[in-house]
Every structure is written in C-alpha cells, then in structure tokens.
Amino acid sequence: MCNVDVVDTTIILKWEWDNPCDLNVTFSTRYQQNQENEEISPDTWSAILECQDITTTECDLSSTILEYLENYTVGVRADTTQDYSPWADLTFCPFMNAKIGPPGVWLDSINGNEKIIILNPEINKPVKMWESENLCYNLTIWKNSSHPEEKTGPVFPGQFIHDLEPETTYCLKVNAFLPYNNGLYSPEYCKRTPKAWTGLPVPEHLQVHALNMKCVLYWDYLYEGNVSFLVQSLFGHKSRSSPDISKNWINVSGCENVQTAHCDISDFVGFDGIYYFQIQAVQNHKKSPWSKMQRFEPHRDNNLGPPSIKLNASEDSLQISVASPGEVENNSMSKLYPLTYQIWYWPNSSYNKKKEFVDKTSPPYVISGLSPSTLYCVQVQAFAQQYNKSSEFSNVSCIEIAKGNFLAVYIPIAIFVAVILLIIGFIYFTHFICKQVKYVFFPKCNPPLTIENIGGKDVSSSYLLTSEEPTEDCVVIVDNSSPNDVDLVDVKDLREQEEISQDSGNYSNNSGSKGSLQTTEQKET
C-alpha cells in the first residue's frame, strides 16, 4: 500500500512494508504523466532515478514531478536478489492533493502597536504551488499561562494586534487557508509585550453611519487637549493580496487633519467593494498608536431611509405615489438596489392594518374598494430582497375618501330623460305642424256658403279646390189665392237660412225642406 504526501511543492511518495519473512529487499519506483482520456500505457513508464534500489519506504518526487495540475501515476515494488513483487501503482494530481505549508510568523513593537509579520509558506522556494492564489490567514493567540484561553480569528500580514496586556507573554500560531484547503499551522511563537503606552490615547469604537449612502465615520476620544485626527483607508482587494498591509494604507481626502471625532467619507467610498479604516490622534509631534481597523461594506452596511409618499383619493379608491429612499435628495437608492415596497393602509378609527406589495416600476399604486367619507392612513416601507434589507418606515399620511357624488350619478339619468323629452316634443311639434298644414291646405269638408259668397262673389273657386256637395232643390210654394203680397225680404232671409242649414249639416235635406215648408206656411198664414 502506498500514498503521496504533498505539502506546497514538496511531494513525498510513501509506502508500507511489513517484511514478514525478514527478507533482504530494496525498492524501485517509476512514474508516468497521464494524458487526458488516455489509458496507462506500459511503454511510457519512466524510472525515478533517485529512488532505485533504495532501502527506505519513501521517495522524494519533488524534482521529478513539476506539472502540478496534471495527473500522474507512480508505482513501487520490492526487489530481492532472485525475485521482485508486483508493482503497486497510485494515480494523483499534485495540486488537488497538496496541503498549504506552515507560514513564518512573529510580532514587532511599533509606536505602541504590536504588528504581526507573516511570511508566505513558499517565500523561499523557487517553484511555487500557490503563486496564483491569494492566501488568507487565521491567527490563534493565547496568554502563556497555566490556564490559557485561545482566541482565533482572521488576520492580515502587517496588521496591528490590539487588546494585549502590557508586560505579558503571549504565544501565537498562524495557518494559511483557501476556501477548499486548510493549511498547516506555523510553529508556536511567544513574546513578552512591552510596558504600557504613556503617550496620546488611542481613538476607540470606530463605526460608520451610512444612510442612503451618506457615510460618516465616527469614533470616541477621551483626551481633552488640542488634538487632530488622521484617517486612513485600506481597500479590501489590497488586504487579501498584500504581503504587508501596513504599506497599503492611504490617507482619506478631507479627513487628514480633522478636529472633530467624525468625518464624512461619502466621496471616498463607492457602493461596491470593501473598505477598512483606522485613525491616529496627532498633537504637535506626538502621535497615538493606530486604532483598531473598522471594516465597511457599503452595499451591505448602508441603511435605507424612509420613502416619500403622495396620496390622492376618489370616492372609493386611494392612489399612492411612492418616491424611493433618497429620491427627494437626488440620490435615489432605486439606482443601487432593486426595490419593492410594502404598503400598509387602515381606517384611522381602526388598528387593523392591511398590507400590499408594489413594484417601483409599476405606475402609482391604486387601492380600490374603500369606504367613502372615511379617513384612511398609509405607511410605506422599501425592501431590497437581494440584500435582505428594509428601509425605515415613511411618515404616516392620512387622507379622506371622497363622499359619493350625487350629481355624478344622477346627471347622466337627467340628461337621458331630457333627451327623451326633447325627442317626444319634437315628434309632437312635427305632428302638430303637419296637422295644421293638412287642415289648411287639404281640408276634409267644404267651407260654409257664407264664406263662398262674400259680398256676392264666389271665393271658393278662387282660393279653395273643393268638390261640390250635392244638394236638393227647394221650391217655395206660393198660395196665389191669398190677396196679400209676399214680403221679398222675408223670402230672401228664409233662403239664406236654408242654405246655411244645408252647409252646417245640422239638418238633413228632408228636414230642411219640411222646415221651409212650415215656415212658408206660417208666412202664408
């Protein structure tokens, strides 16, 4: 049975040999580089010259295997003077099997700070396994006492180590790691810290307040003298790749000689990336130790302010216009975060809040089915789901839903009724006019005789075209035996009355004749 132990670029092939028969044996090794998708060929084996006819149970392959991303097959066998064993073969990839070696580590005392020096595990090696990788480091530190309490956390090469007691011996160890590889720890290193610092005190409790990307760095400082502060920053990508971050700090513009315990860093930071900050107090030529580093990740640590809302109400609905956090100040957070909105609304007399969701890309949000003449209150909160980040709540805004509009309901009905009445009136008026025209120009009966003979003139033929109604001739019988003369005026009047009677149709011709006769008889009498 054999195996390969790979630490950085050191590759050691090891195997086990029990030698139950107490034979005098030596060992031989071989290797071949495997091509992708090709089977092992018996003609491509090469002997490992450094490991032929050896008596130990391991072989250093470091100078033989140099392509660390390729697959290799190695083999070993036992030889005697008369016979040999079968080959024991093993296939492996150096990079996949490798462990990160132990780094070098120690502490340096600089102006009241303890700076940790970490050396890359391959710093002195001509060929490197991890040259293209950014190694990260973990520090484990403890007091050198009978009951040590270990503290472990990430550390950067060149970082200052804080919270160490003066004149105390501390021991530490460091290991490098990658997401897929946890390296070996360095040998333990111990050091006694110097006496307590007596110069300017260190600024403490750094924190960044960020609201809608308005970023201000705050810190505490108890010294009451005339002190200014220097703020420095380190970019996150530099911290992961630098062998000594103390050389990568830069001064923050506008925060190089501040007199207050805060400084606006909004113009220095961007939305993406990671930033580290440290502060030093300065008085004339005196300088304090550097403060602890403060990490700031804007897209994660920035807080969202409240959105702004505007309400409009109709008789049964509520229209809500939402402005994203910072939009009023021309610094809209919707440009940085994909925002949705949670809208709470409730009648002012009730505590039963209802919640709705609305996307900022939609038009103003409308809530329908509300009670008229009711005061509704609204509150809105923005939410960035990608970062699981909620904004502050907007101010509570209230508006009364409009009363039901009587005119809006009944005016269309009144207009409809008026139109119907106009149509009926027009029809009636048209009918009346037609009736009058027909009556005047197309009558059904003849005009009276008194109209036909006005002033002894026949006007019927001049103005009216009427058919002549047939009449019976009336005869006046005169009794010649009477010695008295007939009064011609009376006869004329009687004649006119008979004609009028015939025209009006009040009497038939027969009855008219009878009446005439009776009248004549009376006259004769």
Side-chain angles (χ1 to χ4, degrees):
M1 180 178 179
C2 59
N3 66 322
V4 173
D5 188 10
V6 183
V7 177
D8 298 333
T9 57
T10 300
I11 305 173
I12 305 297
L13 175 64
K14 297 181 179 181
W15 59 89
E16 297 177 0
W17 174 253
D18 294 335
N19 197 8
C21 300
D22 196 20
L23 298 175
N24 185 18
V25 298
T26 59
F27 301 96
S28 298
T29 59
R30 64 178 184 175
Y31 81 100
Q32 69 171 332
Q33 182 176 339
N34 302 333
Q35 300 299 324
E36 188 176 359
N37 299 325
E38 288 187 6
E39 296 183 357
I40 298 175
S41 173
D43 300 327
T44 58
W45 288 103
S46 298
I48 302 174
L49 300 179
E50 297 87 351
C51 299
Q52 297 295 317
D53 299 324
I54 59 175
T55 57
T56 59
T57 56
E58 64 180 43
C59 175
D60 190 345
L61 308 179
S62 304
S63 59
T64 303
I65 297 178
L66 300 176
E67 299 294 334
Y68 303 122
L69 297 177
E70 300 294 332
N71 288 326
Y72 288 87
T73 299
V74 295
V76 60
R77 76 178 182 184
D79 298 327
T80 66
T81 55
Q82 298 178 350
D83 201 1
Y84 53 84
S85 70
W87 287 99
D89 294 329
L90 173 68
T91 299
F92 72 101
C93 173
F95 185 84
M96 298 303 296
N97 287 70
K99 296 178 182 178
I100 303 173
V105 59
W106 68 88
L107 293 177
D108 275 347
S109 298
I110 302 175
N111 193 38
N113 287 119
E114 292 296 324
K115 176 182 174 181
I116 187 169
I117 307 299
I118 300 176
L119 300 181
N120 188 286
E122 300 179 303
I123 190 169
N124 295 320
K125 295 182 179 180
V127 182
K128 304 182 187 304
M129 179 75 74
W130 318 108
E131 187 173 17
S132 62
E133 303 291 334
N134 289 327
L135 297 178
C136 300
Y137 297 93
N138 273 325
L139 167 67
T140 300
I141 189 169
W142 65 93
K143 288 182 182 180
N144 188 15
S145 63
S146 57
H147 302 286
E149 182 181 349
E150 292 186 351
K151 295 181 180 179
T152 300
V155 67
F156 300 125
Q159 180 179 338
F160 294 125
I161 307 301
H162 295 273
D163 300 327
L164 300 181
E165 298 178 5
E167 299 183 272
T168 303
T169 300
Y170 285 88
C171 295
L172 55 88
K173 59 182 180 179
V174 173
N175 76 309
F177 68 93
L178 293 170
Y180 51 85
N181 195 327
N182 199 20
L184 302 176
Y185 272 98
S186 66
E188 292 182 4
Y189 168 83
C190 296
K191 180 183 178 180
R192 185 175 176 83
T193 57
K195 294 180 180 180
W197 175 257
T198 58
L200 292 175
V202 181
E204 297 178 331
H205 307 137
L206 278 66
Q207 54 184 331
V208 179
H209 291 182
L211 182 66
N212 294 339
M213 288 303 295
K214 177 71 173 179
C215 308
V216 180
L217 175 65
Y218 291 89
W219 59 90
D220 293 336
Y221 196 70
L222 302 178
Y223 188 74
E224 296 181 356
N226 185 18
V227 176
S228 61
F229 300 96
L230 173 63
V231 179
Q232 288 188 337
S233 179
L234 171 69
F235 296 112
H237 67 277
K238 293 284 186 68
S239 67
R240 293 189 297 270
S241 60
S242 175
D244 185 357
I245 65 169
S246 65
K247 300 177 181 179
N248 299 111
W249 289 93
I250 61 173
N251 295 341
V252 176
S253 177
C255 301
E256 297 169 323
N257 188 27
V258 293
Q259 306 296 320
T260 58
H262 61 83
C263 186
D264 192 333
I265 58 174
S266 303
D267 295 335
F268 182 81
V269 301
F271 180 71
D272 297 314
I274 299 173
Y275 300 84
Y276 295 90
F277 294 96
Q278 65 178 10
I279 301 174
Q280 184 182 58
V282 179
Q283 185 183 49
N284 298 326
H285 299 291
K286 298 178 182 178
K287 296 181 180 180
S288 74
W290 286 101
S291 68
K292 290 182 181 180
M293 292 193 313
Q294 176 62 40
R295 175 189 170 109
F296 178 55
E297 196 169 353
H299 67 271
R300 186 195 67 181
D301 300 329
N302 177 54
N303 295 312
L304 298 176
S308 302
I309 59 175
K310 183 179 179 181
L311 305 180
N312 288 305
S314 64
E315 61 187 68
D316 66 344
S317 63
L318 188 63
Q319 186 182 76
I320 306 170
S321 299
V322 181
S324 65
E327 187 171 340
V328 176
E329 296 84 12
N330 296 322
N331 188 26
S332 176
M333 292 297 100
S334 62
K335 298 178 181 178
L336 304 177
Y337 299 94
L339 296 178
T340 56
Y341 294 88
Q342 300 173 356
I343 299 177
W344 279 264
Y345 66 96
W346 65 95
N348 192 39
S349 59
S350 171
Y351 292 98
N352 184 21
K353 294 184 179 181
K354 297 181 179 180
K355 183 165 65 172
E356 298 282 348
F357 293 91
V358 58
D359 194 325
K360 181 63 175 70
T361 58
S362 65
Y365 193 66
V366 177
I367 300 174
S368 304
L370 303 180
S371 302
S373 302
T374 302
L375 186 67
Y376 278 87
C377 295
V378 176
Q379 197 171 33
V380 178
Q381 184 183 40
F383 180 67
Q385 185 174 6
Q386 180 179 350
Y387 299 94
N388 194 26
K389 184 186 295 293
S390 297
S391 75
E392 299 176 8
F393 280 99
S394 69
N395 293 329
V396 176
S397 297
C398 299
I399 191 171
E400 184 175 1
I401 303 301
K403 296 180 180 180
N405 193 338
F406 176 84
L407 294 177
V409 175
Y410 290 100
I411 282 180
I413 299 177
I415 293 175
F416 177 75
V417 172
V419 170
I420 295 299
L421 293 177
L422 286 174
I423 293 174
I424 294 175
F426 178 75
I427 293 174
Y428 177 79
F429 178 76
T430 303
H431 176 72
F432 176 77
I433 294 298
C434 291
K435 184 177 179 182
Q436 293 301 319
V437 171
K438 186 175 181 181
Y439 178 79
V440 173
F441 293 99
F442 306 100
K444 293 183 178 181
C445 55
N446 294 328
L449 293 178
T450 54
I451 298 177
E452 293 180 359
N453 297 281
I454 298 176
K457 294 181 181 181
D458 186 5
V459 297
S460 61
S461 60
S462 302
Y463 299 98
L464 301 174
L465 299 177
T466 59
S467 59
E468 184 177 355
E469 184 176 333
T471 58
E472 293 182 0
D473 294 334
C474 296
V475 179
V476 178
I477 301 175
V478 179
D479 189 359
N480 294 327
S481 60
S482 174
N484 300 327
D485 295 332
V486 178
D487 189 349
L488 295 177
V489 176
D490 292 338
V491 173
K492 183 178 178 181
D493 292 340
L494 180 61
R495 177 65 177 180
E496 291 176 354
Q497 291 177 1
E498 288 176 353
E499 290 177 354
I500 292 172
S501 175
Q502 289 175 359
D503 252 356
S504 63
N506 292 329
Y507 303 97
S508 65
N509 289 333
N510 292 333
S511 59
S513 300
K514 183 178 179 180
S516 299
L517 290 174
Q518 290 175 353
T519 305
T520 304
E521 289 176 357
Q522 289 176 359
K523 290 290 183 178
E524 289 176 353
T525 304

